[in-house]
Amino acid sequence: MLQVLSSSWALLLGMMLLMVGNGVQGTLLGIRGGMEGFSTFQLSVVMSGYFAGFLFGSRMAPIMIRRVGHVRVFAALGSFISAVLILFPTFTDPWIWTVLRVIVGFCFSGVYVTAESWLNNAADNENRGKALSLYMFVQMVGIIAAQGLVVIGDPGGFILFILPSVLVSIAFAPILLSVNPTPAFETTKGLSLRELFHISPLGCVGFALLGGVFAAQFGMAAVFGQQIGLTVGQISGFVSALYIGGLVLQYPIGWISDRMDRRTLILIITTIAAVAALLPVVFGTRYEVLLIASFFLGGMTNPLYALLLAYVNDFLEPENMPAASAGLLFINGMGAIAGPVVTGWVMGVMGPLGFFGYMALLLVGFLAYGLWRVSRRSSPGPKDTGAYVNMSPASSLVAVDMAQEVWADEAELDE
């Protein structure tokens, strides 16, 4: 771990500042949009724009990097992010915000691809897993810290939009002054979605539905809090609890996953997440209930992403893992794009509690499908599965490939 820190501290520091900036604008837009009189559906479209841009950016970033190099892509996308963040309060129109969110999502996707490429290049087979875990830890800390910054200014003013713009601009300085360009990407022939579904139906369905759940959390949590009348400080605490839960419970769940049937654990975690999503529906929206529900919902769904990836890998040969990554991220991305829009529609029909009702419905549906799959195919035992690797639902294709390299190295060692 010390070796990883010594070689990648600037990259990790820069990424934490970037995540602070991203986390501030994600929460702030939900609050400011409500103050500007945007409807729930309009805000859901705005939030969905980020994930549409992110999915498109994940496809385009490798092409841009091959053409002009990592440093130029990284600097250009960072400049766009910094500029766009201060345009939101200038043009308070939902459709302009949607376009700006698409641009932000596109740029952040390219930034993740570039940063994770540098991280992967700096790591070796012995410390790649530690490097990835530390990177994911820094990302989560950045998002949590962002929620604390939301309460220091007036959401109706400009300062909270200027602050993340400044943080993003500062974040690029240590990275660009300390890293070297990495080699160009190698193209990998992907698996078709039909082939991927045949290999792991549970993994494909899980990635699609989990994309919807994660996008609802990231995009609509602040909208929900604003609609039920929470203060800015309470909204900050409510959103923070989602990520604190994911940060605290990620490692214990990972430890358990390497010691029991992985599919059984997936079903148990899905059950706990569904119960957590139903708590506010059953017991009301008291702040204490919301915090408990948020902590366990985030604490279960964030590790579930890594669990599903590890479960799919258990059915793949190491040489097929990179090919599967692109398909899984595409499935997850399509679910994420639909997530905020569907959540907004459900909230329009059910009221604010539709936020939790939508996530509960997806989780219960996945649980039912998982229980049916138990009768269709046996699951590999703990001795026949690869290692769990800490992952974030916001990861790019490069980070997923890093995780799969760790799994492949573990498999070779076991052999």
Side-chain angles (χ1 to χ4, degrees), residues 187-254:
T187 56
T188 302
K189 184 179 179 181
L191 293 172
S192 70
L193 296 182
R194 177 178 293 182
E195 291 174 312
L196 198 54
F197 185 81
H198 178 73
I199 291 169
S200 180
L202 182 67
C204 290
V205 173
F207 263 82
L209 297 182
L210 193 60
V213 172
F214 174 73
Q217 293 177 11
F218 186 76
M220 299 298 288
V223 177
F224 164 80
Q226 200 272 339
Q227 286 193 353
I228 65 170
L230 296 182
T231 65
V232 174
Q234 288 175 326
I235 292 174
S236 173
F238 170 63
V239 176
S240 295
L242 286 167
Y243 298 102
I244 292 173
L247 183 63
V248 171
L249 299 179
Q250 180 87 249
Y251 294 95
I253 290 174

Side-chain angles (χ1 to χ4, degrees), residues 30-52:
I31 299 173
R32 180 63 175 268
M35 295 172 63
E36 296 289 344
F38 294 178
S39 69
T40 303
F41 179 75
Q42 287 173 330
L43 279 172
S44 70
V45 174
V46 169
M47 297 306 177
S48 181
Y50 177 89
F51 300 99

Side-chain angles (χ1 to χ4, degrees), residues 52-216:
F54 195 94
L55 182 60
F56 181 59
S58 67
R59 300 275 175 163
M60 292 299 298
I63 298 173
M64 294 188 298
I65 291 171
R66 280 194 291 267
R67 291 183 61 184
V68 301
H70 289 73
V71 172
R72 290 180 179 178
V73 170
F74 198 70
L77 295 181
S79 299
F80 271 109
I81 293 172
S82 183
V84 168
L85 290 179
I86 57 177
L87 290 177
F88 282 108
T90 307
F91 303 100
T92 53
D93 178 85
W95 309 118
I96 294 178
W97 276 22
T98 301
V99 174
L100 295 178
R101 282 281 285 179
V102 171
I103 296 172
V104 169
F106 178 92
C107 292
F108 264 107
S109 176
V111 164
Y112 291 158
V113 168
T114 311
E116 290 162 9
S117 298
W118 273 319
L119 183 68
N120 191 31
N121 192 61
D124 55 34
N125 290 345
E126 293 183 357
N127 63 19
R128 182 168 284 107
K130 293 183 178 66
L132 189 58
S133 293
L134 190 57
Y135 173 74
M136 296 303 164
F137 175 82
V138 164
Q139 278 195 327
M140 297 289 281
V141 169
I143 294 178
I144 293 168
Q147 308 313 313
L149 290 181
V150 174
V151 302
I152 68 173
D154 177 16
F158 280 80
I159 186 65
L160 288 181
F161 290 93
I162 296 173
L163 183 60
S165 175
V166 172
L167 288 174
V168 167
S169 298
I170 294 174
F172 289 97
I175 298 175
L176 293 175
L177 292 175
S178 63
V179 297
N180 296 316
T182 56
F185 285 108
E186 297 180 1
T187 56
T188 302
K189 184 179 179 181
L191 293 172
S192 70
L193 296 182
R194 177 178 293 182
E195 291 174 312
L196 198 54
F197 185 81
H198 178 73
I199 291 169
S200 180
L202 182 67
C204 290
V205 173
F207 263 82
L209 297 182
L210 193 60
V213 172
F214 174 73

